Amino acid sequence: MKKHNFYRDIVWISLFCVVAALAAGWGRAYKKEQKSYGFRIWSGGELTADMTEEFKKLAGICRFEPMDTMTAELRLSNYTLETEVVGVALLEYPLKWNDVMSEIPMGGTPAFFFGTETFASFTDGNGVGPGKSQIEKWMKQYQTLELTVKDENGRERKARICGILSDPGDRVCMDKVQMKEAFFGLFHTAGGFMEIYGQKNMKKARSILEAAGFVTE
């Protein structure tokens, strides 16, 4: 009776496991190259039309949604916050909502959208932030709050909070068309959202942008 070669079985099993592992790795790598990746970029100064034109040369680029920013002081009750307000195209820019009004007014009163972390950044005259219960109250009643915004020229006007963002959670946003109408000349294009197809292309694009002085996140 022929003796069974267990050593050969072990070799074949080991080889099968190696091939299966390689195939799984190749499959995962393939999937990573078959989807798009989004990230935000920020420039140190004005993002010009020539710069955005250069973005078209990045391998795998799907789209770039520009973003405008301006500095403003927000006042809520006895609390204030000096921050950057970000102007984006609400329907195109990838925002994640915690809550939002069913109908957003886009008239003369600026409509702001607070990140979930924004309320905690306000401080009173002594530099003390609001308590947890106060923040929770504001979050629940954001549609009824009286917000005052003061721009860089010192002009004050009433504003509304029309939604709460989970992402970006640390920004104050508004519609970029309304920003242009309400704060013309007080904002600049500082960055935006970029979408790149393929993980390798995404990593390469981020490296190129960071080398050029952009911040990516």
Side-chain angles (χ1 to χ4, degrees):
M1 183 176 179
K2 189 175 179 181
K3 189 176 180 180
H4 188 77
N5 192 333
F6 290 102
Y7 176 76
R8 185 181 61 184
D9 290 347
I10 293 173
V11 171
W12 278 108
I13 291 171
S14 298
L15 181 61
F16 175 80
C17 291
V18 170
V19 172
L22 288 173
W26 291 330
R28 288 192 294 270
Y30 178 79
K31 286 182 180 180
K32 289 178 180 178
E33 297 306 319
Q34 301 304 309
K35 65 178 184 178
S36 59
Y37 298 82
F39 56 93
R40 298 183 184 91
I41 69 168
W42 304 83
S43 64
E46 178 75 22
L47 186 63
T48 65
D50 289 339
M51 291 180 185
T52 56
E53 192 67 23
E54 287 295 310
F55 293 161
K56 296 179 182 178
K57 299 178 182 179
L58 294 170
I61 187 165
C62 301
R63 63 170 173 152
F64 176 70
E65 297 293 340
M67 170 187 67
D68 300 325
T69 64
M70 70 172 191
T71 301
E73 182 185 274
L74 308 180
R75 187 166 68 248
L76 183 60
S77 185
N78 297 321
Y79 295 86
T80 59
L81 170 64
E82 187 170 329
T83 187
E84 258 191 348
V85 179
V86 178
V88 300
L90 295 178
L91 296 180
E92 286 82 26
Y93 204 87
L95 303 171
K96 293 182 181 179
W97 299 95
N98 182 285
D99 193 67
V100 65
M101 293 175 60
S102 56
E103 292 186 15
I104 301 173
M106 288 297 172
T109 303
F112 287 85
F113 306 93
F114 278 18
T116 52
E117 303 168 28
T118 302
F119 288 114
S121 300
F122 279 82
T123 57
D124 62 16
N126 297 316
V128 179
K132 183 178 178 180
S133 60
Q134 178 64 77
I135 293 173
E136 290 176 351
K137 183 178 180 181
W138 282 341
M139 290 277 284
K140 291 178 181 179
Q141 302 177 355
Y142 74 88
Q143 298 183 29
T144 65
L145 298 178
E146 290 189 7
L147 182 69
T148 302
V149 55
K150 182 165 71 173
D151 61 34
E152 291 182 344
N153 290 337
R155 180 186 174 186
E156 292 188 357
R157 69 195 79 185
K158 297 297 182 182
R160 299 185 64 180
I161 304 172
C162 295
I164 305 296
L165 296 163
S166 58
D167 184 33
D170 59 345
R171 306 281 180 185
V172 177
C173 299
M174 68 179 301
D175 178 73
K176 65 182 307 176
V177 173
Q178 191 182 47
M179 175 181 278
K180 183 177 181 179
E181 294 174 348
F183 303 101
F184 184 78
L186 298 177
F187 62 88
H188 65 283
T189 304
F193 176 83
M194 184 170 289
E195 189 174 3
I196 300 287
Y197 187 78
Q199 188 183 63
K200 290 181 181 178
N201 287 336
M202 179 271 292
K203 290 181 177 180
K204 185 177 181 180
R206 293 184 74 153
S207 296
I208 292 172
L209 292 166
E210 289 168 3
F214 290 91
V215 175
T216 66
E217 61 181 35

